[in-house]
Amino acid sequence: MTEANAISIQNLTKRFGHFTAVDHLSLEVPVGQVFGFLGANGSGKTTTIRMLTGSLTPSSGKAYVLGANVAKRVAEVRRRIGYMSQKFSLFEDMTVEENLRFYGGVYNLDPDEFAARREYILDMADLRGRESELTANLSVGWRQRLALGAATIHSPELLFLDEPTSGVDPLARRRFWDLLYELAKTGVTLFVTTHYMDEASHCNRLAFINSGRLVAEGTPNELRAQHNGATLEEIFTKLSTN
Amino acid sequence: MLNRILAITGKEFLHLWRDPRMLAAVLLMPVLMLLLFAYAISFDIRNVPTGIVDMDNTPTSREYAQAFDASDLFNVSYRADTISGVDAVIDEGRVSIVLVIPKGFGKDLLAGLTAEVGVYVDGSEPNSGRVSRAAALALTTQYNRELAVRWADLNGVDISAVGGLEPLMRTWYNPELKSSDYLIPGLLVVIMMIVTVQQTSVSLVRERAQGTQDQITVSATRPTELLLGKLLPWSILALTEVGIITLVSKWLFNIPLRGNLFAFALGTFIFVVCGLALGMLISSFCNTLESANMMAIVVAFLPSFLLSGFVFALEQLPEWIQWLSCALPVRFMVELTRDVFLKGAGFAEVLPEMSFMLIFAVLAITLAAHFYRRRLR
Ligand SMILES: Nc1ncnc2c1ncn2[C@@H]1O[C@H](COP(=O)(O)OP(=O)(O)OP(=O)(O)O)[C@@H](O)[C@H]1O
Ligand SMILES: [Mg+2]
């Protein structure tokens, strides 16, 4: 494990009773990369992320995030990572402003820091003028951008995004990914799960999992070459059906 | 730490504020229940058939009796100067309250001593007994004298000390417990239970079910901070409502608050902690709002309703239910409240109830913390 890896996991395993959701998964994610984590429904993506964020205790194996052992230094890890969960992470009965303020509060930002981050996020997510709108009334694309803002309010070094663009129209997806690239340019490592292969092809590296096991890993081009020039969709289908 | 807790507490209040139905259920229901009582009580508070036994027969005592007569709460239909006939008139149902002014009443009063009057109440008649007692107290205050009203009720004031009267062998006690003296402490407990157990368990389960709990946990907010932040609003609401109901019951219903207010406050606080812990415990078992709601009704609402004298007197329930009731804090809070409100209890008298609730709170918190930790695995 070196500091050059934002994430380093060894034989990470999670069993729910007799069912193994994540099965001896080993993976390295270099700092500063956009890393795509792919797999069919129920293949164990969310479970892996939950172990990496310390929300779930692994049955066995080790996970290092930003150089720290998650099992031992969870508080430190959490201060430095951001997480946008698969479920909707905003409060619909609260306004844009109130949501940001809430996450600023739980991340313990001081007022100056919060004010600066708030400005930045409102611009980034194009939410200026909508500060007092209820989140429930925002369109899905806007909500996702707000959720991204909330998840990055404390300027994390590593961001986990669990299917951030599900249910978002193609245009809004494009805008969302533009924001992700902006973040990546500032040096933030992104760990993204998605079911959209066009999004996957924009990642620096990809990992495919099936039934909790790693089945392929590499850059999109490497993977295509390994599979005789097949498209990512074809590779996904092939890797997920056996 | 404080920052985070406040952020969460603020958010909880926002949720409440944005959900009018919830707000109404939490804030208006207690007021509504109280008003219903007020209405029920205004029925029978007039013209209570009253007897006056004036054994003193001085200008002062006659003046005092006159105050009773003038009030339209009482309809004085029996007068005597000895106690001997009282038993019979109460038995015949001619009067349901008898005011006994003992010999020496006027002299004591003029001498600046504490004069005593006896009030015999026919407790077997629902409501009027309670009303009369309250009203007698009210009149005593109205008369603006330092009077110690001695009640010949089951709780055993030594009647023989009051002007040499012999105690009457009657049920000086309402066996159906249908009186606001008994109901309002019960109401207090029911409301506290709803606000603490039901609302906290539902709010905790909702946070988890909608996925925001994950999000908050990953922000390095410790589980304790999350819990404290989420429990704080409901504690504040529960305590505020207890305060309001206490004031209203004293002011509107003349419920005597005779005991130590601090003992009551401390008891309330411990009970609220019990309720919050129960709410936590429920939320650690339930995954959906519906199941949390159901569970809260079974564990919190029903027992507090059944054991608080709202429906049955505890003593009339089968013995096994009485034993069962000892497993929940409700019964003890009801007793504590009544002891303090009606019997003038202080810390010493309610120590057993408080200790039990404290044990319950500690146990429930330990269990809830255990199950919460287990959910992470
Ligand atoms: N707490 C749990 N208890 C039992 N089984 C679980 C639990 N969490 C997840 N699982 C199971 O583990 C498997 C992997 O789930 P996971 O949510 O990680 O999949 P995923 O790859 O994120 O799927 P999706 O693309 O649908 O989000 C699924 O079969 C799921 O039912
Ligand atoms: Mg998932």
Side-chain angles (χ1 to χ4, degrees), chain A residues 14 50 57 78 83 85 88-89 91 93 98 102-103 106-108, chain B residues 3-4 7 11 15 18 207 210 214-215 217-219 376-377:
Chain A
K14 181 69 198 182
R50 280 167 56 80
T57 314
R78 282 176 171 171
Y83 173 49
S85 75
F88 189 59
S89 59
F91 301 95
D93 56 348
E98 286 160 354
F102 171 71
Y103 281 110
V106 290
Y107 277 108
N108 218 354
Chain B
N3 233 343
R4 292 209 186 100
K11 166 183 94 69
H15 290 326
R18 297 272 153 79
E207 194 82 74
Q210 73 190 8
D214 254 7
Q215 193 70 45
T217 314
V218 173
S219 70
L376 291 181
R377 308 242 162 86

PDB file of all heavy atoms in Angstrom, chain A residues 14 50 57 78 83 85 88-89 91 93 98 102-103 106-108, chain B residues 3-4 7 11 15 18 207 210 214-215 217-219 376-377:
ATOM      1  N   LYS A  14     -17.544  -9.653   2.114  1.00  0.00           N
ATOM      2  CA  LYS A  14     -18.691  -9.390   2.979  1.00  0.00           C
ATOM      3  C   LYS A  14     -19.727 -10.484   2.807  1.00  0.00           C
ATOM      4  O   LYS A  14     -20.192 -10.753   1.704  1.00  0.00           O
ATOM      5  CB  LYS A  14     -19.332  -8.034   2.632  1.00  0.00           C
ATOM      6  CG  LYS A  14     -20.522  -7.688   3.507  1.00  0.00           C
ATOM      7  CD  LYS A  14     -20.103  -7.409   4.933  1.00  0.00           C
ATOM      8  CE  LYS A  14     -21.267  -7.481   5.904  1.00  0.00           C
ATOM      9  NZ  LYS A  14     -20.847  -7.156   7.277  1.00  0.00           N
ATOM     10  N   ARG A  50     -19.904   0.715   0.712  1.00  0.00           N
ATOM     11  CA  ARG A  50     -20.265   0.874   2.124  1.00  0.00           C
ATOM     12  C   ARG A  50     -19.152   0.395   3.054  1.00  0.00           C
ATOM     13  O   ARG A  50     -18.975   0.929   4.143  1.00  0.00           O
ATOM     14  CB  ARG A  50     -21.579   0.162   2.433  1.00  0.00           C
ATOM     15  CG  ARG A  50     -22.814   0.998   1.986  1.00  0.00           C
ATOM     16  CD  ARG A  50     -24.099   0.223   1.975  1.00  0.00           C
ATOM     17  NE  ARG A  50     -24.425  -0.397   3.251  1.00  0.00           N
ATOM     18  CZ  ARG A  50     -24.967   0.246   4.285  1.00  0.00           C
ATOM     19  NH1 ARG A  50     -25.231   1.513   4.191  1.00  0.00           N
ATOM     20  NH2 ARG A  50     -25.238  -0.397   5.402  1.00  0.00           N
ATOM     21  N   THR A  57     -19.053  -3.231   8.265  1.00  0.00           N
ATOM     22  CA  THR A  57     -17.802  -3.875   8.674  1.00  0.00           C
ATOM     23  C   THR A  57     -17.553  -5.085   7.778  1.00  0.00           C
ATOM     24  O   THR A  57     -18.437  -5.926   7.636  1.00  0.00           O
ATOM     25  CB  THR A  57     -17.902  -4.339  10.137  1.00  0.00           C
ATOM     26  OG1 THR A  57     -18.471  -3.279  10.895  1.00  0.00           O
ATOM     27  CG2 THR A  57     -16.546  -4.698  10.693  1.00  0.00           C
ATOM     28  N   ARG A  78     -13.295   9.408   7.037  1.00  0.00           N
ATOM     29  CA  ARG A  78     -14.558  10.057   6.674  1.00  0.00           C
ATOM     30  C   ARG A  78     -14.430  11.549   6.506  1.00  0.00           C
ATOM     31  O   ARG A  78     -15.146  12.150   5.710  1.00  0.00           O
ATOM     32  CB  ARG A  78     -15.615   9.736   7.735  1.00  0.00           C
ATOM     33  CG  ARG A  78     -16.169   8.352   7.550  1.00  0.00           C
ATOM     34  CD  ARG A  78     -17.118   8.014   8.644  1.00  0.00           C
ATOM     35  NE  ARG A  78     -17.811   6.769   8.364  1.00  0.00           N
ATOM     36  CZ  ARG A  78     -18.565   6.158   9.244  1.00  0.00           C
ATOM     37  NH1 ARG A  78     -18.730   6.667  10.440  1.00  0.00           N
ATOM     38  NH2 ARG A  78     -19.162   5.035   8.931  1.00  0.00           N
ATOM     39  N   TYR A  83     -19.287  11.209  -0.188  1.00  0.00           N
ATOM     40  CA  TYR A  83     -20.084  10.047  -0.573  1.00  0.00           C
ATOM     41  C   TYR A  83     -21.426  10.524  -1.084  1.00  0.00           C
ATOM     42  O   TYR A  83     -22.119  11.287  -0.425  1.00  0.00           O
ATOM     43  CB  TYR A  83     -20.253   9.142   0.650  1.00  0.00           C
ATOM     44  CG  TYR A  83     -21.203   7.973   0.478  1.00  0.00           C
ATOM     45  CD1 TYR A  83     -21.116   7.133  -0.627  1.00  0.00           C
ATOM     46  CD2 TYR A  83     -22.169   7.698   1.448  1.00  0.00           C
ATOM     47  CE1 TYR A  83     -21.975   6.049  -0.764  1.00  0.00           C
ATOM     48  CE2 TYR A  83     -23.021   6.615   1.322  1.00  0.00           C
ATOM     49  CZ  TYR A  83     -22.921   5.796   0.218  1.00  0.00           C
ATOM     50  OH  TYR A  83     -23.764   4.727   0.081  1.00  0.00           O
ATOM     51  N   SER A  85     -24.705   8.781  -2.074  1.00  0.00           N
ATOM     52  CA  SER A  85     -25.254   7.424  -2.017  1.00  0.00           C
ATOM     53  C   SER A  85     -26.215   7.184  -3.169  1.00  0.00           C
ATOM     54  O   SER A  85     -26.697   8.100  -3.822  1.00  0.00           O
ATOM     55  CB  SER A  85     -25.952   7.190  -0.681  1.00  0.00           C
ATOM     56  OG  SER A  85     -27.180   7.862  -0.659  1.00  0.00           O
ATOM     57  N   PHE A  88     -31.444   8.680  -2.736  1.00  0.00           N
ATOM     58  CA  PHE A  88     -31.489  10.128  -2.735  1.00  0.00           C
ATOM     59  C   PHE A  88     -31.029  10.647  -1.374  1.00  0.00           C
ATOM     60  O   PHE A  88     -31.555  10.247  -0.347  1.00  0.00           O
ATOM     61  CB  PHE A  88     -32.925  10.544  -3.027  1.00  0.00           C
ATOM     62  CG  PHE A  88     -33.070  12.002  -3.265  1.00  0.00           C
ATOM     63  CD1 PHE A  88     -32.373  12.592  -4.300  1.00  0.00           C
ATOM     64  CD2 PHE A  88     -33.894  12.762  -2.481  1.00  0.00           C
ATOM     65  CE1 PHE A  88     -32.507  13.940  -4.529  1.00  0.00           C
ATOM     66  CE2 PHE A  88     -34.034  14.103  -2.709  1.00  0.00           C
ATOM     67  CZ  PHE A  88     -33.335  14.702  -3.741  1.00  0.00           C
ATOM     68  N   SER A  89     -30.022  11.499  -1.388  1.00  0.00           N
ATOM     69  CA  SER A  89     -29.414  11.857  -0.107  1.00  0.00           C
ATOM     70  C   SER A  89     -29.808  13.240   0.391  1.00  0.00           C
ATOM     71  O   SER A  89     -29.277  13.710   1.368  1.00  0.00           O
ATOM     72  CB  SER A  89     -27.901  11.786  -0.229  1.00  0.00           C
ATOM     73  OG  SER A  89     -27.477  12.674  -1.233  1.00  0.00           O
ATOM     74  N   PHE A  91     -32.833  16.158   1.590  1.00  0.00           N
ATOM     75  CA  PHE A  91     -34.118  16.190   2.273  1.00  0.00           C
ATOM     76  C   PHE A  91     -35.094  16.977   1.414  1.00  0.00           C
ATOM     77  O   PHE A  91     -34.913  18.168   1.192  1.00  0.00           O
ATOM     78  CB  PHE A  91     -33.955  16.796   3.657  1.00  0.00           C
ATOM     79  CG  PHE A  91     -32.987  16.022   4.493  1.00  0.00           C
ATOM     80  CD1 PHE A  91     -31.656  16.402   4.552  1.00  0.00           C
ATOM     81  CD2 PHE A  91     -33.386  14.879   5.166  1.00  0.00           C
ATOM     82  CE1 PHE A  91     -30.755  15.658   5.293  1.00  0.00           C
ATOM     83  CE2 PHE A  91     -32.494  14.138   5.903  1.00  0.00           C
ATOM     84  CZ  PHE A  91     -31.168  14.526   5.963  1.00  0.00           C
ATOM     85  N   ASP A  93     -38.079  17.897   1.872  1.00  0.00           N
ATOM     86  CA  ASP A  93     -38.925  18.915   2.499  1.00  0.00           C
ATOM     87  C   ASP A  93     -38.101  20.109   2.972  1.00  0.00           C
ATOM     88  O   ASP A  93     -38.592  20.951   3.706  1.00  0.00           O
ATOM     89  CB  ASP A  93     -39.718  18.307   3.659  1.00  0.00           C
ATOM     90  CG  ASP A  93     -38.825  17.649   4.695  1.00  0.00           C
ATOM     91  OD1 ASP A  93     -37.625  17.458   4.399  1.00  0.00           O
ATOM     92  OD2 ASP A  93     -39.313  17.335   5.789  1.00  0.00           O
ATOM     93  N   GLU A  98     -31.231  25.154   2.858  1.00  0.00           N
ATOM     94  CA  GLU A  98     -31.276  24.397   4.110  1.00  0.00           C
ATOM     95  C   GLU A  98     -30.505  23.091   4.006  1.00  0.00           C
ATOM     96  O   GLU A  98     -29.838  22.664   4.959  1.00  0.00           O
ATOM     97  CB  GLU A  98     -32.729  24.128   4.507  1.00  0.00           C
ATOM     98  CG  GLU A  98     -33.440  25.359   5.038  1.00  0.00           C
ATOM     99  CD  GLU A  98     -34.966  25.263   4.987  1.00  0.00           C
ATOM    100  OE1 GLU A  98     -35.491  24.275   4.426  1.00  0.00           O
ATOM    101  OE2 GLU A  98     -35.623  26.180   5.490  1.00  0.00           O
ATOM    102  N   PHE A 102     -27.366  22.258   6.234  1.00  0.00           N
ATOM    103  CA  PHE A 102     -27.347  21.049   7.064  1.00  0.00           C
ATOM    104  C   PHE A 102     -26.043  20.271   6.873  1.00  0.00           C
ATOM    105  O   PHE A 102     -25.371  19.919   7.839  1.00  0.00           O
ATOM    106  CB  PHE A 102     -28.539  20.148   6.732  1.00  0.00           C
ATOM    107  CG  PHE A 102     -28.446  18.803   7.388  1.00  0.00           C
ATOM    108  CD1 PHE A 102     -28.624  18.681   8.755  1.00  0.00           C
ATOM    109  CD2 PHE A 102     -28.143  17.669   6.652  1.00  0.00           C
ATOM    110  CE1 PHE A 102     -28.506  17.455   9.376  1.00  0.00           C
ATOM    111  CE2 PHE A 102     -28.024  16.438   7.264  1.00  0.00           C
ATOM    112  CZ  PHE A 102     -28.204  16.329   8.628  1.00  0.00           C
ATOM    113  N   TYR A 103     -25.671  20.033   5.607  1.00  0.00           N
ATOM    114  CA  TYR A 103     -24.447  19.268   5.389  1.00  0.00           C
ATOM    115  C   TYR A 103     -23.217  20.061   5.817  1.00  0.00           C
ATOM    116  O   TYR A 103     -22.248  19.483   6.323  1.00  0.00           O
ATOM    117  CB  TYR A 103     -24.357  18.778   3.943  1.00  0.00           C
ATOM    118  CG  TYR A 103     -25.226  17.550   3.746  1.00  0.00           C
ATOM    119  CD1 TYR A 103     -26.382  17.592   2.984  1.00  0.00           C
ATOM    120  CD2 TYR A 103     -24.898  16.353   4.385  1.00  0.00           C
ATOM    121  CE1 TYR A 103     -27.186  16.472   2.837  1.00  0.00           C
ATOM    122  CE2 TYR A 103     -25.691  15.232   4.252  1.00  0.00           C
ATOM    123  CZ  TYR A 103     -26.842  15.290   3.474  1.00  0.00           C
ATOM    124  OH  TYR A 103     -27.627  14.182   3.351  1.00  0.00           O
ATOM    125  N   VAL A 106     -23.125  19.246   9.539  1.00  0.00           N
ATOM    126  CA  VAL A 106     -22.636  17.927   9.967  1.00  0.00           C
ATOM    127  C   VAL A 106     -21.160  17.747   9.594  1.00  0.00           C
ATOM    128  O   VAL A 106     -20.466  16.954  10.216  1.00  0.00           O
ATOM    129  CB  VAL A 106     -23.467  16.745   9.416  1.00  0.00           C
ATOM    130  CG1 VAL A 106     -24.831  16.695  10.069  1.00  0.00           C
ATOM    131  CG2 VAL A 106     -23.580  16.770   7.928  1.00  0.00           C
ATOM    132  N   TYR A 107     -20.686  18.501   8.596  1.00  0.00           N
ATOM    133  CA  TYR A 107     -19.255  18.438   8.299  1.00  0.00           C
ATOM    134  C   TYR A 107     -18.471  19.454   9.112  1.00  0.00           C
ATOM    135  O   TYR A 107     -17.268  19.598   8.939  1.00  0.00           O
ATOM    136  CB  TYR A 107     -18.997  18.627   6.801  1.00  0.00           C
ATOM    137  CG  TYR A 107     -19.159  17.345   6.030  1.00  0.00           C
ATOM    138  CD1 TYR A 107     -20.239  17.140   5.191  1.00  0.00           C
ATOM    139  CD2 TYR A 107     -18.226  16.320   6.170  1.00  0.00           C
ATOM    140  CE1 TYR A 107     -20.396  15.957   4.500  1.00  0.00           C
ATOM    141  CE2 TYR A 107     -18.375  15.130   5.478  1.00  0.00           C
ATOM    142  CZ  TYR A 107     -19.458  14.954   4.651  1.00  0.00           C
ATOM    143  OH  TYR A 107     -19.611  13.774   3.986  1.00  0.00           O
ATOM    144  N   ASN A 108     -19.210  20.154   9.980  1.00  0.00           N
ATOM    145  CA  ASN A 108     -18.548  21.010  10.945  1.00  0.00           C
ATOM    146  C   ASN A 108     -17.741  22.129  10.292  1.00  0.00           C
ATOM    147  O   ASN A 108     -16.655  22.464  10.756  1.00  0.00           O
ATOM    148  CB  ASN A 108     -17.623  20.148  11.824  1.00  0.00           C
ATOM    149  CG  ASN A 108     -17.640  20.635  13.252  1.00  0.00           C
ATOM    150  OD1 ASN A 108     -18.252  21.659  13.548  1.00  0.00           O
ATOM    151  ND2 ASN A 108     -16.986  19.903  14.133  1.00  0.00           N
TER     152      ASN A 108
ATOM    153  N   ASN B   3     -21.878  21.585  17.060  1.00  0.00           N
ATOM    154  CA  ASN B   3     -22.261  22.024  15.735  1.00  0.00           C
ATOM    155  C   ASN B   3     -23.120  20.992  15.020  1.00  0.00           C
ATOM    156  O   ASN B   3     -24.169  21.296  14.461  1.00  0.00           O
ATOM    157  CB  ASN B   3     -20.985  22.218  14.921  1.00  0.00           C
ATOM    158  CG  ASN B   3     -20.956  23.597  14.309  1.00  0.00           C
ATOM    159  OD1 ASN B   3     -21.991  24.252  14.240  1.00  0.00           O
ATOM    160  ND2 ASN B   3     -19.781  24.017  13.882  1.00  0.00           N
ATOM    161  N   ARG B   4     -22.635  19.752  15.060  1.00  0.00           N
ATOM    162  CA  ARG B   4     -23.307  18.668  14.352  1.00  0.00           C
ATOM    163  C   ARG B   4     -24.666  18.389  14.967  1.00  0.00           C
ATOM    164  O   ARG B   4     -25.658  18.243  14.267  1.00  0.00           O
ATOM    165  CB  ARG B   4     -22.469  17.398  14.438  1.00  0.00           C
ATOM    166  CG  ARG B   4     -21.198  17.492  13.666  1.00  0.00           C
ATOM    167  CD  ARG B   4     -20.784  16.119  13.196  1.00  0.00           C
ATOM    168  NE  ARG B   4     -19.478  16.188  12.569  1.00  0.00           N
ATOM    169  CZ  ARG B   4     -18.357  15.856  13.180  1.00  0.00           C
ATOM    170  NH1 ARG B   4     -18.393  15.413  14.424  1.00  0.00           N
ATOM    171  NH2 ARG B   4     -17.207  15.953  12.569  1.00  0.00           N
ATOM    172  N   ALA B   7     -27.015  21.035  14.018  1.00  0.00           N
ATOM    173  CA  ALA B   7     -27.421  20.928  12.611  1.00  0.00           C
ATOM    174  C   ALA B   7     -28.539  19.897  12.480  1.00  0.00           C
ATOM    175  O   ALA B   7     -29.533  20.110  11.790  1.00  0.00           O
ATOM    176  CB  ALA B   7     -26.226  20.538  11.749  1.00  0.00           C
ATOM    177  N   LYS B  11     -32.549  20.509  11.629  1.00  0.00           N
ATOM    178  CA  LYS B  11     -33.178  19.798  10.521  1.00  0.00           C
ATOM    179  C   LYS B  11     -34.457  19.098  10.982  1.00  0.00           C
ATOM    180  O   LYS B  11     -35.475  19.126  10.278  1.00  0.00           O
ATOM    181  CB  LYS B  11     -32.184  18.773   9.978  1.00  0.00           C
ATOM    182  CG  LYS B  11     -32.787  17.750   9.052  1.00  0.00           C
ATOM    183  CD  LYS B  11     -31.744  16.731   8.633  1.00  0.00           C
ATOM    184  CE  LYS B  11     -31.728  15.491   9.494  1.00  0.00           C
ATOM    185  NZ  LYS B  11     -32.901  14.635   9.359  1.00  0.00           N
ATOM    186  N   HIS B  15     -38.243  19.524   9.497  1.00  0.00           N
ATOM    187  CA  HIS B  15     -39.149  18.459   9.048  1.00  0.00           C
ATOM    188  C   HIS B  15     -40.526  18.627   9.670  1.00  0.00           C
ATOM    189  O   HIS B  15     -41.551  18.524   9.017  1.00  0.00           O
ATOM    190  CB  HIS B  15     -38.616  17.081   9.463  1.00  0.00           C
ATOM    191  CG  HIS B  15     -37.400  16.658   8.714  1.00  0.00           C
ATOM    192  ND1 HIS B  15     -37.186  16.986   7.411  1.00  0.00           N
ATOM    193  CD2 HIS B  15     -36.338  15.917   9.088  1.00  0.00           C
ATOM    194  CE1 HIS B  15     -36.031  16.478   7.014  1.00  0.00           C
ATOM    195  NE2 HIS B  15     -35.494  15.828   8.012  1.00  0.00           N
ATOM    196  N   ARG B  18     -42.419  21.551   8.292  1.00  0.00           N
ATOM    197  CA  ARG B  18     -42.891  21.402   6.919  1.00  0.00           C
ATOM    198  C   ARG B  18     -43.985  20.344   6.789  1.00  0.00           C
ATOM    199  O   ARG B  18     -44.506  20.113   5.710  1.00  0.00           O
ATOM    200  CB  ARG B  18     -41.717  20.995   6.012  1.00  0.00           C
ATOM    201  CG  ARG B  18     -40.621  22.025   5.919  1.00  0.00           C
ATOM    202  CD  ARG B  18     -40.866  23.026   4.822  1.00  0.00           C
ATOM    203  NE  ARG B  18     -40.235  24.305   5.084  1.00  0.00           N
ATOM    204  CZ  ARG B  18     -38.949  24.566   4.893  1.00  0.00           C
ATOM    205  NH1 ARG B  18     -38.164  23.634   4.419  1.00  0.00           N
ATOM    206  NH2 ARG B  18     -38.459  25.753   5.163  1.00  0.00           N
ATOM    207  N   GLU B 207     -35.235   8.217   8.715  1.00  0.00           N
ATOM    208  CA  GLU B 207     -33.889   8.625   8.308  1.00  0.00           C
ATOM    209  C   GLU B 207     -33.147   7.462   7.661  1.00  0.00           C
ATOM    210  O   GLU B 207     -32.462   7.612   6.662  1.00  0.00           O
ATOM    211  CB  GLU B 207     -33.115   9.097   9.550  1.00  0.00           C
ATOM    212  CG  GLU B 207     -31.863   9.852   9.227  1.00  0.00           C
ATOM    213  CD  GLU B 207     -32.160  11.312   8.908  1.00  0.00           C
ATOM    214  OE1 GLU B 207     -32.442  12.063   9.827  1.00  0.00           O
ATOM    215  OE2 GLU B 207     -32.098  11.667   7.726  1.00  0.00           O
ATOM    216  N   GLN B 210     -34.919   6.263   4.157  1.00  0.00           N
ATOM    217  CA  GLN B 210     -34.736   7.113   2.980  1.00  0.00           C
ATOM    218  C   GLN B 210     -33.270   7.251   2.602  1.00  0.00           C
ATOM    219  O   GLN B 210     -32.934   7.932   1.637  1.00  0.00           O
ATOM    220  CB  GLN B 210     -35.387   8.474   3.186  1.00  0.00           C
ATOM    221  CG  GLN B 210     -34.649   9.379   4.155  1.00  0.00           C
ATOM    222  CD  GLN B 210     -35.457  10.606   4.520  1.00  0.00           C
ATOM    223  OE1 GLN B 210     -36.621  10.726   4.168  1.00  0.00           O
ATOM    224  NE2 GLN B 210     -34.857  11.525   5.247  1.00  0.00           N
ATOM    225  N   ASP B 214     -27.245   6.934   6.106  1.00  0.00           N
ATOM    226  CA  ASP B 214     -25.960   6.539   5.534  1.00  0.00           C
ATOM    227  C   ASP B 214     -25.127   7.764   5.213  1.00  0.00           C
ATOM    228  O   ASP B 214     -23.953   7.850   5.532  1.00  0.00           O
ATOM    229  CB  ASP B 214     -26.195   5.780   4.222  1.00  0.00           C
ATOM    230  CG  ASP B 214     -25.960   4.303   4.400  1.00  0.00           C
ATOM    231  OD1 ASP B 214     -25.752   3.879   5.554  1.00  0.00           O
ATOM    232  OD2 ASP B 214     -25.991   3.588   3.390  1.00  0.00           O
ATOM    233  N   GLN B 215     -25.784   8.689   4.538  1.00  0.00           N
ATOM    234  CA  GLN B 215     -25.117   9.903   4.109  1.00  0.00           C
ATOM    235  C   GLN B 215     -24.566  10.661   5.309  1.00  0.00           C
ATOM    236  O   GLN B 215     -23.448  11.153   5.287  1.00  0.00           O
ATOM    237  CB  GLN B 215     -26.132  10.754   3.342  1.00  0.00           C
ATOM    238  CG  GLN B 215     -25.538  11.902   2.575  1.00  0.00           C
ATOM    239  CD  GLN B 215     -24.735  11.433   1.381  1.00  0.00           C
ATOM    240  OE1 GLN B 215     -25.173  10.572   0.650  1.00  0.00           O
ATOM    241  NE2 GLN B 215     -23.550  11.996   1.205  1.00  0.00           N
ATOM    242  N   THR B 217     -23.950   9.412   8.342  1.00  0.00           N
ATOM    243  CA  THR B 217     -22.919   8.624   9.018  1.00  0.00           C
ATOM    244  C   THR B 217     -21.562   8.827   8.355  1.00  0.00           C
ATOM    245  O   THR B 217     -20.536   8.937   9.012  1.00  0.00           O
ATOM    246  CB  THR B 217     -23.265   7.125   8.980  1.00  0.00           C
ATOM    247  OG1 THR B 217     -24.625   6.988   9.331  1.00  0.00           O
ATOM    248  CG2 THR B 217     -22.415   6.345   9.940  1.00  0.00           C
ATOM    249  N   VAL B 218     -21.573   8.875   7.033  1.00  0.00           N
ATOM    250  CA  VAL B 218     -20.318   9.001   6.304  1.00  0.00           C
ATOM    251  C   VAL B 218     -19.696  10.385   6.487  1.00  0.00           C
ATOM    252  O   VAL B 218     -18.535  10.605   6.199  1.00  0.00           O
ATOM    253  CB  VAL B 218     -20.544   8.656   4.816  1.00  0.00           C
ATOM    254  CG1 VAL B 218     -19.330   8.931   3.982  1.00  0.00           C
ATOM    255  CG2 VAL B 218     -20.924   7.194   4.694  1.00  0.00           C
ATOM    256  N   SER B 219     -20.466  11.328   7.018  1.00  0.00           N
ATOM    257  CA  SER B 219     -19.900  12.647   7.262  1.00  0.00           C
ATOM    258  C   SER B 219     -19.106  12.677   8.566  1.00  0.00           C
ATOM    259  O   SER B 219     -18.815  13.742   9.070  1.00  0.00           O
ATOM    260  CB  SER B 219     -21.010  13.680   7.337  1.00  0.00           C
ATOM    261  OG  SER B 219     -21.752  13.492   8.521  1.00  0.00           O
ATOM    262  N   LEU B 376     -24.698  -2.362  12.171  1.00  0.00           N
ATOM    263  CA  LEU B 376     -23.605  -1.938  11.289  1.00  0.00           C
ATOM    264  C   LEU B 376     -22.828  -3.128  10.749  1.00  0.00           C
ATOM    265  O   LEU B 376     -22.069  -3.004   9.807  1.00  0.00           O
ATOM    266  CB  LEU B 376     -22.644  -1.021  12.048  1.00  0.00           C
ATOM    267  CG  LEU B 376     -23.202   0.344  12.413  1.00  0.00           C
ATOM    268  CD1 LEU B 376     -22.166   1.176  13.126  1.00  0.00           C
ATOM    269  CD2 LEU B 376     -23.693   1.066  11.165  1.00  0.00           C
ATOM    270  N   ARG B 377     -22.999  -4.273  11.404  1.00  0.00           N
ATOM    271  CA  ARG B 377     -22.188  -5.418  10.975  1.00  0.00           C
ATOM    272  C   ARG B 377     -22.760  -6.076   9.729  1.00  0.00           C
ATOM    273  O   ARG B 377     -23.919  -5.960   9.457  1.00  0.00           O
ATOM    274  CB  ARG B 377     -22.148  -6.460  12.109  1.00  0.00           C
ATOM    275  CG  ARG B 377     -21.724  -5.826  13.413  1.00  0.00           C
ATOM    276  CD  ARG B 377     -20.446  -6.409  13.941  1.00  0.00           C
ATOM    277  NE  ARG B 377     -19.857  -5.529  14.933  1.00  0.00           N
ATOM    278  CZ  ARG B 377     -20.193  -5.563  16.226  1.00  0.00           C
ATOM    279  NH1 ARG B 377     -21.046  -6.439  16.663  1.00  0.00           N
ATOM    280  NH2 ARG B 377     -19.638  -4.730  17.054  1.00  0.00           N
TER     281      ARG B 377
END
